[in-house]
Amino acid sequence: MKQFLILAATLTATSFMTQAQEKAKHEETEFYSPVPPVVTPGASLSNAPSDAIILFDGKNLDQWVSTKDSGAAKWTLADNVITVNKSAGDIQTKNSFTDYQLHIEYRIPSNITGSGQARGNSGIFLAALPWGAGGYELQVLDNYKNTTYVNGQAGSIYKQAVPLANACGKPGEWQTYDVVWTAPRFSENGILKSMARVTVFHNGVLVQNNVTLLGDTPYIGQPSYRKHGPAPIKLQSHGDKSEPISYRNIWVRPL
Ligand code: MG
């Protein structure tokens, strides 16, 4: 009897719900504004969409400065690509960004030498900071048949997040990173309100899936947060002895 009553109550509730749904109109769950902007995709991923800010398209380094002295970026520009100049140090964008989508391509030289971390080491600092570890580094390294600590291999958020896959191409091939960056937020008095998050595709393969960062990415010690606002994107000139790597087709879409 008790079971029958429960069944009857359930059926009645279901019946009411169905009646309510029948009275609803499809228009009630459809809306027409704000209308998403029209964005024309590039012919391929290398070609920027119509609303992107071009950071490097092969012509010049006008969007970049040296982090040493804020003067001109002195990396080598030839054949529409830029190559790391190890004596000139890191370069970073003139403009600062908060949340964005980034596309960038890099090439490890085909004659690369070295092993472990000393083989094509560079990096993309997703928000460059003038203190501590220098920001939050997405590692660039040749890990095609080259092993190192897994939280420091290509596709890692350096010493924080192991990539979901090793998607490295061969030295000599152009490779891509596509990144969605959500910057951390801080209160006026510097209290962390929300941590940074990042999604990364490496050569089209998902390697970081909406990962939450614990802070910046130091070589030694634990990550930590310190209040900052919009920040440049920085490319690392690493001190390893291997042949310098190259970049091309860099564009960003602030979100
Ligand atoms: Mg690096």
Side-chain angles (χ1 to χ4, degrees):
M1 183 62 181
K2 191 180 172 189
Q3 279 178 333
F4 171 78
L5 286 174
I6 291 169
L7 179 64
T10 306
L11 284 173
T12 308
T14 307
S15 163
F16 278 132
M17 220 158 65
T18 307
Q19 284 174 15
Q21 280 178 341
E22 279 172 359
K23 283 182 187 167
K25 294 188 170 68
H26 67 88
E27 294 92 334
E28 292 169 359
T29 50
E30 299 164 1
F31 53 95
Y32 290 84
S33 68
V35 177
V38 174
V39 175
T40 308
S44 74
L45 254 189
S46 296
N47 303 107
S50 57
D51 64 345
I53 296 171
I54 308 297
L55 296 177
F56 178 69
D57 64 359
K59 295 189 181 77
N60 58 61
L61 277 160
D62 291 356
Q63 294 290 321
W64 300 82
V65 293
S66 166
T67 55
K68 274 187 177 173
D69 55 8
S70 300
K74 297 187 188 73
W75 286 14
T76 309
L77 170 57
D79 300 326
N80 300 317
V81 310
I82 43 173
T83 299
V84 176
N85 175 347
K86 297 211 179 193
S87 62
D90 301 344
I91 64 171
Q92 68 184 29
T93 56
K94 282 181 181 169
N95 289 323
S96 291
F97 305 95
T98 304
D99 304 334
Y100 60 78
Q101 172 188 356
L102 172 72
H103 174 84
I104 186 165
E105 302 180 13
Y106 70 93
R107 183 181 59 194
I108 305 288
S110 55
N111 63 342
I112 192 77
T113 58
S115 62
Q117 289 285 311
R119 189 178 169 89
N121 199 329
S122 182
I124 301 155
F125 285 80
L126 302 169
L129 303 175
W131 59 74
Y136 316 90
E137 182 184 7
L138 167 60
Q139 178 67 305
V140 175
L141 189 69
D142 177 27
N143 290 111
Y144 183 82
K145 299 180 178 174
N146 172 46
T147 56
T148 184
Y149 42 95
V150 295
N151 58 348
Q153 71 180 61
S156 69
I157 301 303
Y158 187 68
K159 288 199 170 174
Q160 275 198 50
V162 179
L164 297 170
N166 179 341
C168 288
K170 291 178 188 169
E173 294 176 352
W174 282 101
Q175 307 191 48
T176 60
Y177 273 132
D178 289 278
V179 181
V180 181
W181 172 249
T182 303
R185 300 296 203 274
F186 301 85
S187 68
E188 277 296 312
N189 57 2
I191 304 296
L192 179 68
K193 285 167 68 181
S194 61
M195 297 196 280
R197 296 198 314 279
V198 68
T199 294
V200 180
F201 291 88
H202 186 195
N203 296 322
V205 177
L206 182 67
V207 292
Q208 300 291 347
N209 185 8
N210 197 24
V211 165
T212 300
L213 274 69
L214 303 172
D216 61 354
T217 52
Y219 177 44
I220 297 170
Q222 298 303 315
S224 63
Y225 277 112
R226 180 166 154 187
K227 183 187 176 189
H228 67 84
I233 296 167
K234 181 172 73 177
L235 302 181
Q236 185 183 41
S237 167
H238 192 276
D240 74 16
K241 297 285 187 288
S242 66
E243 293 70 16
I245 80 161
S246 301
Y247 288 95
R248 73 175 184 186
N249 291 332
I250 311 172
W251 51 260
V252 64
R253 295 181 63 242
L255 301 173

